[in-house]
Amino acid sequence: MRIYHRLLVLSLIAAALLGMAATPKGADDAKTGKFYVVEMYDFYFDPPGLLLQPGDRVAWIMLADTLKDGHSATAYHPANDKVLRIPDGAGAWSTPLIKEFFGWSEYTFQAVGVHDYFCIPHETEGMVGRVIVAEATGPGADATDNGISAAGKSSIPTTDEIMGNGGLIFGAQAEINAVVFQVRENTPQDARDALDALTAEVNAGKGQSKSLYEALKKVDELQPFLDGLSALGDLLAPSHSLDDINKKAEELKLLLDEAYQKLLATSGSGA
């Protein structure tokens, strides 16, 4: 299903780029840690899960909302009328309800543990996500029967998935999203820095048992991915359009989706 969604993204974004302009709205001014971007579509988060370290930042950006009722990223917390599924004391974090195309909001994660979250209008359609900060602990590590909708239970990544190869794949996809995000924000050096950091991070994993480098190498997707990152870098020159950059980014994320399916077929799990 994720691969099918990915194939739809190219046409959705291309159409939107022709007629819409960005309306950025940040909710958190902190500029520490790594920066990831989760894209919001009808009705799912892309990627659906992330493995972070304390101080890492996540921005959620609106890229599709056919019902025009907006999307949010909202913690499972009693203050948000949900069962607690984030670390004790983390606070009932939430983005605003984002209705503008390319509108966005960010949050800096500090509390160690599982942070489950949902879209306020679309939780019953399965629009849920999961962030793990360092360790899969806390109320969010409980069975998803505790407080998550039936549709959400079928779409939220498991903690084992995020702590394993799934987390490596999702993290790279969110970093690719961040490159495109910085291009949209007209900060080309930040886009270049984000891409260079991802490339260096991948190459630094050579020989490490739990790394994106070795995971992609296992399924013969390492060199195609590195070549794709290089091609994306070439497109960051001023002569290329945002549409071209976005298409290459989506191709890279599709490659990662397909690599993950191969990894699952090889190992039988995301671990």
Side-chain angles (χ1 to χ4, degrees):
M1 185 65 70
R2 282 175 48 73
I3 292 177
Y4 173 73
H5 282 157
R6 187 81 61 211
L7 294 173
L8 294 177
V9 167
L10 292 174
S11 59
L12 286 170
I13 297 298
L17 288 171
L18 294 176
M20 311 284 297
T23 309
K25 292 183 179 179
D28 193 328
D29 292 331
K31 302 298 180 185
T32 61
K34 289 181 65 174
F35 182 59
Y36 299 87
V37 173
V38 174
E39 298 176 342
M40 299 189 292
Y41 296 96
D42 300 335
F43 299 104
Y44 63 98
F45 296 103
D46 181 27
L50 287 172
L51 177 60
L52 309 181
Q53 294 301 315
D56 287 347
R57 298 180 292 132
V58 179
W60 291 266
I61 183 169
M62 161 81 82
L63 290 180
D65 181 26
T66 56
L67 297 181
K68 310 299 183 187
D69 46 4
H71 294 313
S72 77
T74 302
Y76 278 89
H77 189 283
N80 296 327
D81 298 320
K82 295 292 181 181
V83 170
L84 182 68
R85 296 193 59 86
I86 66 172
D88 292 322
W93 60 266
S94 180
T95 69
L97 186 62
I98 301 170
K99 293 190 175 184
E100 303 90 349
F101 199 88
F102 291 153
W104 60 275
S105 183
E106 72 173 60
Y107 180 76
T108 301
F109 285 87
Q110 298 288 0
V112 170
V114 177
H115 296 252
D116 287 344
Y117 67 93
F118 64 100
C119 171
I120 291 173
H122 306 120
E123 195 258 356
T124 56
E125 281 78 24
M127 193 167 177
V128 299
R130 170 169 281 168
V131 168
I132 299 177
V133 180
E135 301 175 7
T137 58
D142 294 344
T144 53
D145 291 338
N146 184 25
I148 296 182
S149 69
K153 286 187 290 185
S154 68
S155 61
I156 194 168
T158 67
T159 55
D160 286 345
E161 186 176 8
I162 295 175
M163 297 300 292
N165 285 329
L168 299 174
I169 296 292
F170 298 154
Q173 290 174 329
E175 289 185 72
I176 292 169
N177 289 346
V179 174
V180 182
F181 176 92
Q182 300 293 2
V183 174
R184 289 195 190 102
E185 291 295 291
N186 196 29
T187 51
Q189 188 58 54
D190 287 342
R192 172 65 64 182
D193 290 346
L195 179 61
D196 289 348
L198 173 57
T199 304
E201 178 184 324
V202 174
N203 286 318
K206 183 178 181 180
Q208 298 182 19
S209 59
K210 185 181 177 182
S211 70
L212 186 62
Y213 184 104
E214 296 298 336
L216 293 178
K217 182 180 177 181
K218 183 177 182 180
V219 292
D220 298 320
E221 295 287 5
L222 174 62
Q223 197 57 52
F225 184 64
L226 290 173
D227 290 344
L229 290 178
S230 178
L232 180 59
D234 292 340
L235 292 174
L236 295 182
S239 57
H240 293 283
S241 69
L242 175 57
D243 191 33
D244 290 338
I245 293 167
N246 189 75
K247 285 180 179 178
K248 178 55 67 175
E250 290 300 326
E251 289 172 8
L252 279 166
K253 292 192 291 181
L254 178 59
L255 182 155
L256 289 169
D257 277 339
E258 292 171 340
Y260 188 40
Q261 294 305 311
K262 292 178 183 178
L263 287 164
L264 290 173
T266 299
S267 66
S269 75

